[in-house]
Amino acid sequence: MTYPPNADPQRERAPDRPGVPVTVPAQRGGVRSVAAERLRAAATTEPGRLQVIGAVLALLVVAFGAVTALEVSGRASAADDVVTRSQPLSADAADVYRSLADADTMAASGFLAGAEEPRDVHEQYETDIKEASRLLVKAAASTDTSSPSGKEITTLNELLPQYTGLVERARANNRQGLPLGGAYLRYANQKMTNELLPAAERLYAAETARLSADSADARRWPFLALGVGVVALAALVWTQRRTYRRTNRVFNHGLLAATAAAAVVLLWLAVGHTVARAELHGAMVHGQESLDVLNKARINSLKARANENLTLVARGAVLTADGTQDRYETDYGTGMKALDAQLRSAGKLAGDDSPGSEPVARAVTGVAEWQERHRAARSTDDQGDYDGALKQIIGPEDSTGESFARVDEALRQALAHEQGEFTTAARSGRGALGGLPAGAAVLAVLGAVAAIAGINRRLSEYR
Amino acid sequence: MRGTNLRAARGRLRGWGGVTGMAVACAVTAAFTLLPLAHGGGSLGGQDTGRAVTSAVPATAEACTDPEASLPASSADGPTIQKIRERGKLIAGVDQNSFRWGYRDPETRTLEGFDIDLVRALAKDILGDADAVIFRAIPTNQRIAALEHDRVDVVVRTMTINCGRLEQVSFSTAYFQAGQQVLAAKESDITGYDRSLAGKRVCSAEGSTAYEALKKESFGAVFEDEHEDTDQDPDLLTVPNQLDCLVRLQLGEVDAVVTDNALAAGQAAQDPAVELKGDKPFTTEYYGVAAKLGADDLVARVNHVLEDYRRGGADSPWMRSYREWLEAGLPGIEGPPQPKYRSN
């Protein structure tokens, strides 16, 4: 602490040192030429050079600290966004999507059961609609209305009451025993399938894209900080080599401390970021990709279930465009095929991770059972035994409804597991960057002070 | 697979029969020797009798000019009737989604309607018990296949008699005369299939007779969706099922519906605020009971039952069923259509 106070006076005194020609400023040169003269003087004498070197070293180290703090806080806030904002938003969008698909499935199931809907099915429908509205309000709060996501949220908010209105009309007509109820229900399903679900899907895609962008931001290498760090370290090493050559002294404590500080920051930066990167990458690959596939699988299973129910609601009255096939049966087949493919890729993504792959395997078994029972129910219906088919579709036991519930539960568990995986990995990625900005700043200031101290020590030898 | 092969075989036979039609009709010997052979290789197995074959000839041979003309009524037993008797139940393919015709009441879970009454009358006559019926609800696209694959004995399902179908199934005499008509709100200023439709949004079922009629003459009505027949088709003005039109009408998305008046009667029965517009339908079509091609004993028997069903004036079973199911939505019908029989 003896040296620093001298630092400034020294620099002041430098130009006055003997041998430095103190020229009277030229008439036109003014202050600028005085400064130039001083610099030239500084560059030509050893103390002068030392002062410049000290200043440059301090600056480099401080700059390193500042750039590190700045870049890493950018990464850390992106990582924080991933954990606290964009992933939850993406998960919420997936929930909106799922709730809507589930509501449609429940509406069809309840309808099939007759004039009096089973209480639990009706409650599930109500819960789904409430959940979707709640999440839409929540999403709207954190979304700019003019953004693509904002527009989808507006669309969904407009369509949802239309949809529930149609379902209520379907119920009212069904209660009176009018086939018009079935037509209303099919119209509600058409609104859901052609307008609401695509909007929800776009919202989910937009939120997931935002998540990917945030995650990529967090994972971008802090090249500037690393570059400045390397330069600062190189400068420190070069200075010490120079000192060693001129004085034959091996250690200059100040410079050594500065080097240590810079090295620690650089190492911390490199390791911390590498770990954060790896964790965030893992979160995306193992967590988010699985979540994405599983979300889509779950929605396809819901759509397939709704179509399976509607096959019975429509009672063969709605055909495909070419008039040869039942439209809902065809859509069911398409949905099941997609579900199958998605479960296969979910299985691959889960790999050997048994808590992850076990529910997926259960879902696969459930789907196989579902398809088998569906075929049986279909042939019952084709035989003209509508009541028998109804039992095989919505009955409490050995029905496709039971298989569907099994698949849905398995997918719910798989999703919960993957969500956990994601959050854990993303949190530890964010944690790897924790304290780095502050640490870098403190260490850089200490390093700069130490560098100046080290140089002053040398300078004092010229006094 | 088996079904398509059979159909192809029969088609080939018929094409051949068409070319030499007159020759076959004249040369009874040729009919007796060739046709049983061909049928034997087809779907009817050993059930054929001489009677069935001879009467099948005119149906397959001549150009279709009068599709409503059916076989003369007869209560004689034949192989198809025999089979039904042995089974003890008549298997009928019906609709369960057509209000007032064939509809499954969600409360009672039983089928009811004008078509269902007719099926029960058939069972009563053939088996002596109106309840000796197995109802099989079959979708629209399965009507012909169900007959061809012997899944049902008869189809009674608002099925229009036409020449195209006569190549695949046999029809009884007409049991109902229907036609396309305009349905709109009672308050509406639309007066029928006329100029009052100008500028109105009119709904019809995809690919239906109504849609074809509008295509020919729409009176300036808007009746086609944007992107019609593509994946983006919004299904607003042309819809998968005629009942969907009533949904659009109630929601105010269309101003009128063009559909079969028989089905429109079912729609009007579900919504007291709508009615059929115009005095009468602007097309004429007839519903018939369909049986498997060649099941001539059954067709003749159905015609026999229909004779009784029509008989009795205002108190005939036909009129009683009409009053119960259809009159509310389709008032003003005084009796069933007159049957037409083939003259040979």
PDB file of all heavy atoms in Angstrom, chain B residues 90-114:
ATOM      1  N   LEU B  90     -85.006 -61.434 -39.383  1.00  0.00           N
ATOM      2  CA  LEU B  90     -84.693 -60.650 -40.568  1.00  0.00           C
ATOM      3  C   LEU B  90     -83.562 -59.695 -40.187  1.00  0.00           C
ATOM      4  O   LEU B  90     -83.630 -59.057 -39.138  1.00  0.00           O
ATOM      5  CB  LEU B  90     -85.931 -59.851 -40.998  1.00  0.00           C
ATOM      6  CG  LEU B  90     -85.742 -58.853 -42.141  1.00  0.00           C
ATOM      7  CD1 LEU B  90     -85.549 -59.590 -43.464  1.00  0.00           C
ATOM      8  CD2 LEU B  90     -86.940 -57.909 -42.234  1.00  0.00           C
ATOM      9  N   ILE B  91     -82.517 -59.663 -41.020  1.00  0.00           N
ATOM     10  CA  ILE B  91     -81.434 -58.721 -40.724  1.00  0.00           C
ATOM     11  C   ILE B  91     -81.590 -57.515 -41.642  1.00  0.00           C
ATOM     12  O   ILE B  91     -81.517 -57.634 -42.860  1.00  0.00           O
ATOM     13  CB  ILE B  91     -80.045 -59.352 -40.924  1.00  0.00           C
ATOM     14  CG1 ILE B  91     -79.951 -60.652 -40.110  1.00  0.00           C
ATOM     15  CG2 ILE B  91     -78.954 -58.384 -40.494  1.00  0.00           C
ATOM     16  CD1 ILE B  91     -78.629 -61.342 -40.246  1.00  0.00           C
ATOM     17  N   ALA B  92     -81.828 -56.345 -41.018  1.00  0.00           N
ATOM     18  CA  ALA B  92     -82.082 -55.145 -41.803  1.00  0.00           C
ATOM     19  C   ALA B  92     -80.992 -54.109 -41.576  1.00  0.00           C
ATOM     20  O   ALA B  92     -80.626 -53.825 -40.437  1.00  0.00           O
ATOM     21  CB  ALA B  92     -83.429 -54.556 -41.420  1.00  0.00           C
ATOM     22  N   GLY B  93     -80.492 -53.571 -42.672  1.00  0.00           N
ATOM     23  CA  GLY B  93     -79.525 -52.477 -42.580  1.00  0.00           C
ATOM     24  C   GLY B  93     -80.281 -51.167 -42.550  1.00  0.00           C
ATOM     25  O   GLY B  93     -81.053 -50.878 -43.461  1.00  0.00           O
ATOM     26  N   VAL B  94     -80.095 -50.405 -41.473  1.00  0.00           N
ATOM     27  CA  VAL B  94     -80.853 -49.160 -41.331  1.00  0.00           C
ATOM     28  C   VAL B  94     -79.920 -48.004 -40.964  1.00  0.00           C
ATOM     29  O   VAL B  94     -78.751 -48.200 -40.646  1.00  0.00           O
ATOM     30  CB  VAL B  94     -81.938 -49.289 -40.238  1.00  0.00           C
ATOM     31  CG1 VAL B  94     -82.974 -50.313 -40.643  1.00  0.00           C
ATOM     32  CG2 VAL B  94     -81.297 -49.661 -38.902  1.00  0.00           C
ATOM     33  N   ASP B  95     -80.466 -46.834 -41.009  1.00  0.00           N
ATOM     34  CA  ASP B  95     -79.754 -45.637 -40.569  1.00  0.00           C
ATOM     35  C   ASP B  95     -80.096 -45.445 -39.105  1.00  0.00           C
ATOM     36  O   ASP B  95     -81.171 -45.835 -38.649  1.00  0.00           O
ATOM     37  CB  ASP B  95     -80.254 -44.443 -41.388  1.00  0.00           C
ATOM     38  CG  ASP B  95     -79.297 -43.268 -41.315  1.00  0.00           C
ATOM     39  OD1 ASP B  95     -78.396 -43.297 -40.455  1.00  0.00           O
ATOM     40  OD2 ASP B  95     -79.443 -42.341 -42.118  1.00  0.00           O
ATOM     41  N   GLN B  96     -79.188 -44.871 -38.351  1.00  0.00           N
ATOM     42  CA  GLN B  96     -79.537 -44.570 -36.960  1.00  0.00           C
ATOM     43  C   GLN B  96     -79.312 -43.086 -36.696  1.00  0.00           C
ATOM     44  O   GLN B  96     -79.256 -42.641 -35.572  1.00  0.00           O
ATOM     45  CB  GLN B  96     -78.702 -45.406 -36.013  1.00  0.00           C
ATOM     46  CG  GLN B  96     -77.224 -45.291 -36.237  1.00  0.00           C
ATOM     47  CD  GLN B  96     -76.453 -46.039 -35.178  1.00  0.00           C
ATOM     48  OE1 GLN B  96     -76.976 -46.362 -34.131  1.00  0.00           O
ATOM     49  NE2 GLN B  96     -75.211 -46.328 -35.461  1.00  0.00           N
ATOM     50  N   ASN B  97     -79.168 -42.343 -37.767  1.00  0.00           N
ATOM     51  CA  ASN B  97     -78.787 -40.951 -37.626  1.00  0.00           C
ATOM     52  C   ASN B  97     -79.731 -40.027 -38.360  1.00  0.00           C
ATOM     53  O   ASN B  97     -79.451 -38.870 -38.529  1.00  0.00           O
ATOM     54  CB  ASN B  97     -77.376 -40.790 -38.193  1.00  0.00           C
ATOM     55  CG  ASN B  97     -76.619 -39.702 -37.500  1.00  0.00           C
ATOM     56  OD1 ASN B  97     -76.871 -39.427 -36.329  1.00  0.00           O
ATOM     57  ND2 ASN B  97     -75.717 -39.075 -38.211  1.00  0.00           N
ATOM     58  N   SER B  98     -80.825 -40.584 -38.855  1.00  0.00           N
ATOM     59  CA  SER B  98     -81.716 -39.807 -39.697  1.00  0.00           C
ATOM     60  C   SER B  98     -83.036 -39.634 -38.963  1.00  0.00           C
ATOM     61  O   SER B  98     -83.842 -40.553 -38.895  1.00  0.00           O
ATOM     62  CB  SER B  98     -81.892 -40.551 -41.016  1.00  0.00           C
ATOM     63  OG  SER B  98     -82.383 -39.710 -41.989  1.00  0.00           O
ATOM     64  N   PHE B  99     -83.209 -38.447 -38.400  1.00  0.00           N
ATOM     65  CA  PHE B  99     -84.344 -38.188 -37.528  1.00  0.00           C
ATOM     66  C   PHE B  99     -85.655 -38.461 -38.253  1.00  0.00           C
ATOM     67  O   PHE B  99     -85.840 -38.050 -39.387  1.00  0.00           O
ATOM     68  CB  PHE B  99     -84.292 -36.737 -37.071  1.00  0.00           C
ATOM     69  CG  PHE B  99     -85.051 -36.458 -35.814  1.00  0.00           C
ATOM     70  CD1 PHE B  99     -84.939 -37.305 -34.727  1.00  0.00           C
ATOM     71  CD2 PHE B  99     -85.858 -35.347 -35.708  1.00  0.00           C
ATOM     72  CE1 PHE B  99     -85.627 -37.049 -33.553  1.00  0.00           C
ATOM     73  CE2 PHE B  99     -86.550 -35.083 -34.535  1.00  0.00           C
ATOM     74  CZ  PHE B  99     -86.431 -35.935 -33.462  1.00  0.00           C
ATOM     75  N   ARG B 100     -86.529 -39.175 -37.599  1.00  0.00           N
ATOM     76  CA  ARG B 100     -87.849 -39.518 -38.109  1.00  0.00           C
ATOM     77  C   ARG B 100     -87.834 -40.612 -39.170  1.00  0.00           C
ATOM     78  O   ARG B 100     -88.867 -41.044 -39.639  1.00  0.00           O
ATOM     79  CB  ARG B 100     -88.593 -38.288 -38.660  1.00  0.00           C
ATOM     80  CG  ARG B 100     -88.816 -37.213 -37.605  1.00  0.00           C
ATOM     81  CD  ARG B 100     -89.848 -37.694 -36.629  1.00  0.00           C
ATOM     82  NE  ARG B 100     -89.755 -37.085 -35.320  1.00  0.00           N
ATOM     83  CZ  ARG B 100     -90.523 -36.080 -34.899  1.00  0.00           C
ATOM     84  NH1 ARG B 100     -91.390 -35.559 -35.688  1.00  0.00           N
ATOM     85  NH2 ARG B 100     -90.402 -35.629 -33.676  1.00  0.00           N
ATOM     86  N   TRP B 101     -86.702 -41.045 -39.588  1.00  0.00           N
ATOM     87  CA  TRP B 101     -86.602 -42.143 -40.563  1.00  0.00           C
ATOM     88  C   TRP B 101     -85.999 -43.376 -39.908  1.00  0.00           C
ATOM     89  O   TRP B 101     -86.617 -44.414 -39.824  1.00  0.00           O
ATOM     90  CB  TRP B 101     -85.779 -41.705 -41.773  1.00  0.00           C
ATOM     91  CG  TRP B 101     -86.541 -40.760 -42.650  1.00  0.00           C
ATOM     92  CD1 TRP B 101     -86.570 -39.399 -42.546  1.00  0.00           C
ATOM     93  CD2 TRP B 101     -87.418 -41.106 -43.710  1.00  0.00           C
ATOM     94  NE1 TRP B 101     -87.409 -38.880 -43.480  1.00  0.00           N
ATOM     95  CE2 TRP B 101     -87.945 -39.906 -44.221  1.00  0.00           C
ATOM     96  CE3 TRP B 101     -87.816 -42.309 -44.292  1.00  0.00           C
ATOM     97  CZ2 TRP B 101     -88.846 -39.879 -45.285  1.00  0.00           C
ATOM     98  CZ3 TRP B 101     -88.698 -42.272 -45.359  1.00  0.00           C
ATOM     99  CH2 TRP B 101     -89.222 -41.082 -45.838  1.00  0.00           C
ATOM    100  N   GLY B 102     -84.771 -43.230 -39.491  1.00  0.00           N
ATOM    101  CA  GLY B 102     -84.119 -44.304 -38.747  1.00  0.00           C
ATOM    102  C   GLY B 102     -83.197 -43.604 -37.778  1.00  0.00           C
ATOM    103  O   GLY B 102     -82.189 -43.043 -38.187  1.00  0.00           O
ATOM    104  N   TYR B 103     -83.579 -43.599 -36.528  1.00  0.00           N
ATOM    105  CA  TYR B 103     -82.804 -42.823 -35.570  1.00  0.00           C
ATOM    106  C   TYR B 103     -82.760 -43.522 -34.230  1.00  0.00           C
ATOM    107  O   TYR B 103     -83.768 -44.029 -33.749  1.00  0.00           O
ATOM    108  CB  TYR B 103     -83.426 -41.430 -35.409  1.00  0.00           C
ATOM    109  CG  TYR B 103     -82.742 -40.599 -34.367  1.00  0.00           C
ATOM    110  CD1 TYR B 103     -81.387 -40.300 -34.505  1.00  0.00           C
ATOM    111  CD2 TYR B 103     -83.410 -40.154 -33.242  1.00  0.00           C
ATOM    112  CE1 TYR B 103     -80.729 -39.562 -33.539  1.00  0.00           C
ATOM    113  CE2 TYR B 103     -82.759 -39.410 -32.283  1.00  0.00           C
ATOM    114  CZ  TYR B 103     -81.423 -39.113 -32.436  1.00  0.00           C
ATOM    115  OH  TYR B 103     -80.776 -38.390 -31.485  1.00  0.00           O
ATOM    116  N   ARG B 104     -81.571 -43.551 -33.651  1.00  0.00           N
ATOM    117  CA  ARG B 104     -81.458 -44.174 -32.337  1.00  0.00           C
ATOM    118  C   ARG B 104     -81.660 -43.104 -31.283  1.00  0.00           C
ATOM    119  O   ARG B 104     -80.872 -42.185 -31.141  1.00  0.00           O
ATOM    120  CB  ARG B 104     -80.080 -44.816 -32.176  1.00  0.00           C
ATOM    121  CG  ARG B 104     -79.966 -45.667 -30.917  1.00  0.00           C
ATOM    122  CD  ARG B 104     -78.564 -46.243 -30.765  1.00  0.00           C
ATOM    123  NE  ARG B 104     -78.251 -47.179 -31.836  1.00  0.00           N
ATOM    124  CZ  ARG B 104     -78.582 -48.471 -31.830  1.00  0.00           C
ATOM    125  NH1 ARG B 104     -79.230 -48.971 -30.808  1.00  0.00           N
ATOM    126  NH2 ARG B 104     -78.255 -49.251 -32.818  1.00  0.00           N
ATOM    127  N   ASP B 105     -82.741 -43.221 -30.568  1.00  0.00           N
ATOM    128  CA  ASP B 105     -83.032 -42.287 -29.499  1.00  0.00           C
ATOM    129  C   ASP B 105     -81.965 -42.440 -28.420  1.00  0.00           C
ATOM    130  O   ASP B 105     -81.794 -43.530 -27.877  1.00  0.00           O
ATOM    131  CB  ASP B 105     -84.415 -42.608 -28.922  1.00  0.00           C
ATOM    132  CG  ASP B 105     -84.854 -41.576 -27.899  1.00  0.00           C
ATOM    133  OD1 ASP B 105     -84.031 -41.227 -27.032  1.00  0.00           O
ATOM    134  OD2 ASP B 105     -86.001 -41.130 -27.970  1.00  0.00           O
ATOM    135  N   PRO B 106     -81.229 -41.370 -28.090  1.00  0.00           N
ATOM    136  CA  PRO B 106     -80.135 -41.531 -27.118  1.00  0.00           C
ATOM    137  C   PRO B 106     -80.661 -41.921 -25.741  1.00  0.00           C
ATOM    138  O   PRO B 106     -79.922 -42.492 -24.940  1.00  0.00           O
ATOM    139  CB  PRO B 106     -79.472 -40.149 -27.089  1.00  0.00           C
ATOM    140  CG  PRO B 106     -80.421 -39.210 -27.740  1.00  0.00           C
ATOM    141  CD  PRO B 106     -81.334 -40.005 -28.614  1.00  0.00           C
ATOM    142  N   GLU B 107     -81.926 -41.614 -25.463  1.00  0.00           N
ATOM    143  CA  GLU B 107     -82.477 -41.927 -24.155  1.00  0.00           C
ATOM    144  C   GLU B 107     -82.850 -43.409 -24.062  1.00  0.00           C
ATOM    145  O   GLU B 107     -82.393 -44.130 -23.182  1.00  0.00           O
ATOM    146  CB  GLU B 107     -83.714 -41.046 -23.919  1.00  0.00           C
ATOM    147  CG  GLU B 107     -84.101 -40.940 -22.473  1.00  0.00           C
ATOM    148  CD  GLU B 107     -82.925 -40.548 -21.581  1.00  0.00           C
ATOM    149  OE1 GLU B 107     -82.286 -39.504 -21.842  1.00  0.00           O
ATOM    150  OE2 GLU B 107     -82.657 -41.295 -20.638  1.00  0.00           O
ATOM    151  N   THR B 108     -83.664 -43.862 -24.994  1.00  0.00           N
ATOM    152  CA  THR B 108     -84.152 -45.246 -24.925  1.00  0.00           C
ATOM    153  C   THR B 108     -83.211 -46.221 -25.622  1.00  0.00           C
ATOM    154  O   THR B 108     -83.310 -47.422 -25.441  1.00  0.00           O
ATOM    155  CB  THR B 108     -85.524 -45.351 -25.607  1.00  0.00           C
ATOM    156  OG1 THR B 108     -85.361 -44.998 -26.986  1.00  0.00           O
ATOM    157  CG2 THR B 108     -86.532 -44.409 -24.982  1.00  0.00           C
ATOM    158  N   ARG B 109     -82.296 -45.702 -26.420  1.00  0.00           N
ATOM    159  CA  ARG B 109     -81.325 -46.506 -27.160  1.00  0.00           C
ATOM    160  C   ARG B 109     -81.988 -47.421 -28.193  1.00  0.00           C
ATOM    161  O   ARG B 109     -81.388 -48.377 -28.662  1.00  0.00           O
ATOM    162  CB  ARG B 109     -80.445 -47.359 -26.239  1.00  0.00           C
ATOM    163  CG  ARG B 109     -79.566 -46.535 -25.330  1.00  0.00           C
ATOM    164  CD  ARG B 109     -78.291 -47.277 -24.995  1.00  0.00           C
ATOM    165  NE  ARG B 109     -77.383 -46.420 -24.261  1.00  0.00           N
ATOM    166  CZ  ARG B 109     -76.550 -45.583 -24.847  1.00  0.00           C
ATOM    167  NH1 ARG B 109     -76.474 -45.501 -26.146  1.00  0.00           N
ATOM    168  NH2 ARG B 109     -75.759 -44.826 -24.131  1.00  0.00           N
ATOM    169  N   THR B 110     -83.269 -47.172 -28.499  1.00  0.00           N
ATOM    170  CA  THR B 110     -83.920 -47.986 -29.517  1.00  0.00           C
ATOM    171  C   THR B 110     -84.032 -47.207 -30.815  1.00  0.00           C
ATOM    172  O   THR B 110     -84.006 -45.977 -30.823  1.00  0.00           O
ATOM    173  CB  THR B 110     -85.338 -48.392 -29.076  1.00  0.00           C
ATOM    174  OG1 THR B 110     -86.042 -47.199 -28.720  1.00  0.00           O
ATOM    175  CG2 THR B 110     -85.293 -49.332 -27.897  1.00  0.00           C
ATOM    176  N   LEU B 111     -84.144 -47.960 -31.902  1.00  0.00           N
ATOM    177  CA  LEU B 111     -84.271 -47.318 -33.209  1.00  0.00           C
ATOM    178  C   LEU B 111     -85.729 -47.027 -33.485  1.00  0.00           C
ATOM    179  O   LEU B 111     -86.607 -47.804 -33.106  1.00  0.00           O
ATOM    180  CB  LEU B 111     -83.705 -48.251 -34.272  1.00  0.00           C
ATOM    181  CG  LEU B 111     -82.184 -48.354 -34.274  1.00  0.00           C
ATOM    182  CD1 LEU B 111     -81.751 -49.661 -34.890  1.00  0.00           C
ATOM    183  CD2 LEU B 111     -81.576 -47.190 -35.004  1.00  0.00           C
ATOM    184  N   GLU B 112     -85.984 -45.919 -34.156  1.00  0.00           N
ATOM    185  CA  GLU B 112     -87.366 -45.564 -34.454  1.00  0.00           C
ATOM    186  C   GLU B 112     -87.418 -44.707 -35.706  1.00  0.00           C
ATOM    187  O   GLU B 112     -86.414 -44.096 -36.090  1.00  0.00           O
ATOM    188  CB  GLU B 112     -87.970 -44.800 -33.274  1.00  0.00           C
ATOM    189  CG  GLU B 112     -87.151 -43.567 -32.918  1.00  0.00           C
ATOM    190  CD  GLU B 112     -87.685 -42.822 -31.710  1.00  0.00           C
ATOM    191  OE1 GLU B 112     -88.161 -43.485 -30.784  1.00  0.00           O
ATOM    192  OE2 GLU B 112     -87.618 -41.588 -31.720  1.00  0.00           O
ATOM    193  N   GLY B 113     -88.584 -44.718 -36.352  1.00  0.00           N
ATOM    194  CA  GLY B 113     -88.763 -43.874 -37.518  1.00  0.00           C
ATOM    195  C   GLY B 113     -89.562 -44.573 -38.601  1.00  0.00           C
ATOM    196  O   GLY B 113     -89.997 -45.724 -38.445  1.00  0.00           O
ATOM    197  N   PHE B 114     -89.778 -43.878 -39.693  1.00  0.00           N
ATOM    198  CA  PHE B 114     -90.585 -44.375 -40.787  1.00  0.00           C
ATOM    199  C   PHE B 114     -89.970 -45.637 -41.408  1.00  0.00           C
ATOM    200  O   PHE B 114     -90.667 -46.623 -41.659  1.00  0.00           O
ATOM    201  CB  PHE B 114     -90.714 -43.266 -41.840  1.00  0.00           C
ATOM    202  CG  PHE B 114     -91.720 -43.552 -42.909  1.00  0.00           C
ATOM    203  CD1 PHE B 114     -93.073 -43.299 -42.715  1.00  0.00           C
ATOM    204  CD2 PHE B 114     -91.318 -44.071 -44.138  1.00  0.00           C
ATOM    205  CE1 PHE B 114     -93.999 -43.554 -43.709  1.00  0.00           C
ATOM    206  CE2 PHE B 114     -92.237 -44.341 -45.142  1.00  0.00           C
ATOM    207  CZ  PHE B 114     -93.586 -44.085 -44.927  1.00  0.00           C
TER     208      PHE B 114
END
